[in-house]
Amino acid sequence: MERRSFLKMSAALSAAATVSGCNSSSKDADVVPPQPPVGEEKVNWSSCLVNCGSNCPIKVFSRDGVITRVETDHEVEDVYGLHQVRACARGRSLRQRTYAPDRLKRPMKRVGERGDAAGFVPISWEEAVSTIAQKLKEAYAVSPKSVFRSYGSGAYYGFASNANFNRLFNLCGGYLNAYGNYSWAQQMEAAKHTFGTGSTMGSATATLDYSDFFLGIAYNPNEIRQSGSGEGYDFVQALKRNTRLKKMVMIDPRYTDSMLGKEDMWLPIRPGTDAAFAEAVAYVMISSTNWFNSKSKPFIDKYCFGFDYDSVVAQKAELIALADKDTSGKSEHLREYSEALNPEENYRDYILGQGIYSIQRTPEWAEKITGIAADTIKEIADELMGAKAPYIVVGAGVNRQANGEQSMRALYMLSVLTGKLGIEGASNGELPRMTGMGRAGIPTGDNPVKESISFFTWSEAINHGETMTARTHGVRGTDGLDAPLGANIKFIFSASDSSLLNQHAEINNTAQILRDAQDLFVVSCDCWMTPGAKFADIILPDTSWLESNDLVDNSYAAGSLGYLTAMSAAVEPMWECKSMYEIAALIADEMGVGNEFRGEHVTEEAWLDYLYKETVKMTANNGVQPAFPATYKEAQQIGVFRKDMLNRHVALQDFVNDPVGNKLATPTGKIEIASSELAWRAKYWTQEDVTGVKGDTITAIPQYTVTWDGYEDKDTATDYPLQLATYHTKGRTHSSYHNVPWLREAVEDALWMNQVDADEKGLSSGDMVEVYNERGSIEVPVKITPRVAPNVVALGQGAWYLADAKGRTGATGKVIDVGGAVNTLTRYQPSPVAKGNPQLTIRVQIRKA
Ligand SMILES: Nc1nc2c(c(=O)[nH]1)N[C@H]1C(S)=C(S)[C@@H](COP(=O)(O)OP(=O)(O)OC[C@H]3O[C@@H](n4cnc5c(=O)[nH]c(N)nc54)[C@H](O)[C@@H]3O)O[C@H]1N2
Ligand SMILES: Nc1nc2c(c(=O)[nH]1)N[C@H]1C(S)=C(S)[C@@H](COP(=O)(O)OP(=O)(O)OC[C@H]3O[C@@H](n4cnc5c(=O)[nH]c(N)nc54)[C@H](O)[C@@H]3O)O[C@H]1N2
Ligand code: SF4
Ligand SMILES: [Mo]
């Protein structure tokens, strides 16, 4: 950034600070960032705790209670295995984020309309806590199932995390559980029903150095795992080491940073059509009779069920035999599931267009749907058949879609058909297995409530929780298919969470639900005035990471290096902010469970020392550098501890080596191409057409389906001709870091568009456009680039929703979101199996703003 614009920006920051939406007085203490006094510089270790899969350590410099600068980790010699964990641009902008003018400074209560930032007044902690306790008691009087702690992946603390509120609620009578997650819901179902795993048991990235053919589908580790020790770094290192790789093929509607010349082939597929591509590759493989009979069939016969008619018959018999043998009481399901299997619904017939199926899934058929030339599809099939160790990996961009479960299952089939699983260098399409150090966290206790809803259906449960069932909404823990959940949500605790509005689908719809729900009480606990916080009844200011003591690990996608950071607060809690542990403890006092909540350790310091010692025990100190000292206080002086996890996991290796001794966790213990449970769900679950759209289906075998708002959806194609591919941008982690000006400047939030579409619409780079569909309109600048194919546009998700101040409405009558949040355009339509979020299936139209 130029010095001039930096100065201008700092001036704007200080000016904005005094009028920030926090209704603060113009006390000096509110002016941010404060002027650093001259004096000794103090060094503390902190960490960037967003949900990006890494928790990069951050070195914080301060003077007399003012943070002066931050640095990344460069404490050790950068030797792969125990290398430096370098933070990305986000972590390096943490000082700006900490002192952002929209920091929440004191508790506030809503006096205006939900959604109105100006409608809040400051209150004391006493008032905040007693109001919350009273509302909590009112909700408990209805049912513990009326109490909900929403998603909240914004802060991966070890101790002071939002799990403290689960601990609190468990002591008060429990809360409504949520299963699944916004990241992987559909692929988790796909992997469970295929491999009996949770979708992240692919071969370790480091094993890629033994592969001779790489096929990455929606795989973008260099943008989504940006840490200097993360999956992205492992990916680049493994490619460097690899001397056998003949070809690297990347399939993504966008030309991503994970390519940048590393790829041999980029195939800009039409969004949501990956299953059709997979089926055409499968068609070529199955039709290549010699290859198939000698290489693929022996593997399928030994390790899989459900490939052809006979195999489904055998699978059914096996399940019935298991049900007969079983004395655990679970056999009831097994029998029911197996009875739903129909041998006529088998993969071979489906792909070849035989038996009950009439369409041959040829490359020519798929070309029309995917936009990938038939010859290219054949070439990839040939490469896969010829490869010794094909590494196939599918990113979650395919799963977060309408019928994402089906697309994922269809793609997993490619690795199965190669017959090369269990070999070092090959992988099964799942995300690479990650390892890490692990750490002890605050125990949450047991939840007396047994029912759970899908994480995505919370907004529906505000008004329809009473009637939601397993059959209609996948509710779990109820008695049978039609027993209702039996309670609406009345109390939402949204902590480190933007799913309350910005990150959930269909923002205008969510906002309306929240505005209309007069008997719903919402608490937001955040550090900044986010779009969702504006919908809360009470806002509680949390301390930020740089003001916190904690013990955090490497998070869930840090590659093969494990690390642990003993965080120490660089400055005292600012303004009236409190940690989530303290906040939960205050509410616990008011609820009469304060002593139980604080437990035997009581203070933050004692808890952290205890958790540190537990962590040291867990890690057994093998290979940790430097070795752990005796106490947490001493560990804080050191800051960062690392360990080479030597992760060389090979997908399905144990199973392939001994399929009887190491059965998979599927009902038959084998790879299941046809799923009995899904055959059963296809028969008995109903698909709620929440928004009146069609196309959501469950089938026993993986099948490409024409979905709502997909490429082949005739209903929306005329009005909304462009497909919008969205992605997780380098400029944010979801909505986190949106309020950091440096990042807004470094990574422009612009709509990528091909020259062909731009010419047709008469647009130039930099022009403002309205992107809209029937759910809403956003306004963003256009960027013309060959990095996206014609008829597809692309935009990073997570920008903060901001309704036009003058109330201007767009093409379909909705107030324009000038913030540019993708979720203004997405549809709330839970996916068929997982009841997950199809937030990447979007059709739009565009006009010059
Ligand atoms: N910088 C950054 N990193 C992050 C995050 C972030 O917000 N920012 N979020 C973190 C979290 S919680 C998660 S869950 C992960 C998400 O990780 P992913 O799900 O892998 O990320 P996405 O960017 O949604 O999708 C990956 C790629 O899929 C492509 N894609 C979209 N639609 C299709 C399609 O139909 N077919 C194919 N083949 N490709 C498609 C996109 O262009 C993108 O390049 O990222 C994590 N890391
Ligand atoms: N359209 C679309 N929508 C998506 C996705 C997509 O690909 N497309 N991806 C989905 C995915 S994969 C995910 S995981 C979700 C993520 O959705 P969220 O879990 O909501 O994640 P964030 O947007 O990072 O929001 C986290 C919140 O935590 C707050 N926060 C940060 N640090 C702290 C702290 O120390 N204390 C407190 N109290 N609060 C803090 C932030 O200010 C922010 O409001 O979004 C989903 N939404
Ligand atoms: S956003 Fe992720 S990669 Fe970047 S500094 Fe934070 S933890 Fe590290
Ligand atoms: Mo996610």
Side-chain angles (χ1 to χ4, degrees), residues 421-463:
L421 288 172
I423 298 168
E424 192 162 45
S427 193
N428 66 343
E430 291 189 40
L431 290 173
R433 181 172 172 231
M434 297 287 153
T435 43
M437 290 257 266
R439 46 121 189 100
I442 186 140
T444 54
D446 291 327
N447 187 354
V449 174
K450 293 296 163 242
E451 292 89 343
S452 58
I453 58 169
S454 148
F455 69 95
F456 189 53
T457 58
W458 66 268
S459 56
E460 221 182 329
I462 292 173
N463 294 318

Side-chain angles (χ1 to χ4, degrees), residues 2 48 54 57 95 103 182 239-240 253 294 334 394 423 471 474 515 530 534 572 590 608 619 657 715 753 804 825:
E2 278 182 32
C48 171
S54 294
R95 179 175 178 271
R103 262 300 290 268
Y182 279 91
L239 287 177
K240 268 192 196 157
S294 61
L334 226 48
V394 191
I423 298 168
R471 194 194 295 281
R515 280 198 194 98
T530 65
K534 296 174 192 168
E572 291 297 306
E590 205 70 22
L608 280 168
T619 315
N657 289 344
D715 294 346
M753 182 184 271
D804 180 74
L825 304 167

Side-chain angles (χ1 to χ4, degrees), residues 51 97 151-155 157 182-183 400 496-499 503 525-528 530 542-543 545 580 728 733-736 797 822-823 826 839-840:
N51 175 9
R97 190 184 191 219
Y151 198 64
S153 74
Y157 280 117
Y182 279 91
S183 315
R400 226 173 286 111
S496 42
D497 170 64
S498 269
S499 78
Q503 295 311 109
C525 173
D526 209 294
C527 305
W528 300 273
T530 65
D542 186 12
T543 43
W545 307 330
M580 289 194 270
H728 291 216
T733 308
H734 308 294
S735 70
S736 290
Q797 63 99 12
V822 164
N823 282 318
T826 52
Q839 281 164 295
L840 266 58

Side-chain angles (χ1 to χ4, degrees), residues 479-492:
D479 198 10
L481 273 174
D482 295 312
L485 175 65
N488 291 344
I489 293 176
K490 299 274 180 221
F491 180 103
I492 297 180

Side-chain angles (χ1 to χ4, degrees), residues 554-630:
N554 37 248
S555 193
Y556 60 89
S560 56
L561 174 68
Y563 51 91
L564 211 77
T565 308
M567 291 165 63
S568 57
V571 292
E572 291 297 306
M574 295 191 214
W575 304 288
E576 292 178 29
C577 299
K578 292 186 191 294
S579 76
M580 289 194 270
Y581 172 73
E582 266 185 276
I583 296 172
L586 288 177
I587 303 171
D589 285 339
E590 205 70 22
M591 295 295 288
V593 292
N595 289 341
E596 293 87 336
F597 178 84
R598 288 184 181 80
E600 56 192 295
H601 306 293
V602 187
T603 65
E604 177 184 288
E605 216 179 322
W607 263 110
L608 280 168
D609 196 55
Y610 161 74
L611 293 173
Y612 170 73
K613 285 169 182 156
E614 288 299 297
T615 302
V616 172
K617 266 192 243 161
M618 269 164 54
T619 315
N621 226 0
N622 43 9
V624 178
Q625 295 194 16
F628 287 126

Side-chain angles (χ1 to χ4, degrees), residues 212-231:
D212 57 347
F213 180 72
F214 179 86
L215 178 60
I217 301 153
Y219 188 61
N220 189 9
N222 292 119
E223 290 182 63
I224 67 151
R225 309 288 185 217
Q226 283 206 292
S227 162
S229 93
E231 185 182 344

Side-chain angles (χ1 to χ4, degrees), residues 200-373:
T200 52
M201 288 298 276
S203 301
T205 317
T207 63
L208 180 54
D209 52 2
Y210 286 105
S211 174
D212 57 347
F213 180 72
F214 179 86
L215 178 60
I217 301 153
Y219 188 61
N220 189 9
N222 292 119
E223 290 182 63
I224 67 151
R225 309 288 185 217
Q226 283 206 292
S227 162
S229 93
E231 185 182 344
Y233 187 63
D234 275 9
F235 178 63
V236 172
Q237 292 298 317
L239 287 177
K240 268 192 196 157
R241 287 192 306 268
N242 188 313
T243 53
R244 311 167 195 203
L245 197 69
K246 296 204 184 89
K247 208 170 234 182
M248 174 169 168
V249 179
M250 288 291 225
I251 304 187
D252 195 304
R254 296 185 312 125
Y255 188 78
T256 68
D257 289 8
S258 300
M259 301 180 214
L260 296 184
K262 295 190 281 288
E263 87 291 2
D264 297 285
M265 217 187 234
W266 165 46
L267 305 177
I269 196 165
R270 290 191 183 115
T273 65
D274 300 81
F277 163 81
E279 291 177 2
V281 173
Y283 181 90
V284 178
M285 289 168 129
I286 297 169
S287 315
S288 304
T289 317
N290 284 344
W291 175 85
F292 182 75
N293 286 339
S294 61
K295 302 285 195 234
S296 186
K297 192 157 186 307
F299 181 88
I300 291 171
D301 287 347
K302 187 165 176 193
Y303 297 106
C304 307
F305 265 128
F307 178 70
D308 53 18
Y309 188 97
D310 292 345
S311 174
V312 182
V313 172
Q315 182 178 7
K316 208 166 167 166
E318 174 104 2
L319 283 168
I320 290 170
L322 281 171
D324 287 344
K325 259 196 282 173
D326 185 50
T327 50
S328 70
K330 288 186 194 145
S331 58
E332 191 191 337
H333 284 311
L334 226 48
R335 189 175 298 280
E336 267 183 282
Y337 293 167
S338 66
E339 275 160 11
L341 278 172
N342 171 7
E344 284 187 313
E345 285 177 38
N346 65 78
Y347 188 75
R348 187 172 190 280
D349 282 355
Y350 168 74
I351 294 292
L352 299 179
Q354 296 174 351
I356 59 169
Y357 302 100
S358 55
I359 300 173
Q360 297 183 346
R361 310 279 152 178
T362 61
E364 289 73 21
W365 164 80
E367 174 177 324
K368 292 196 195 82
I369 300 166
T370 58
I372 302 176

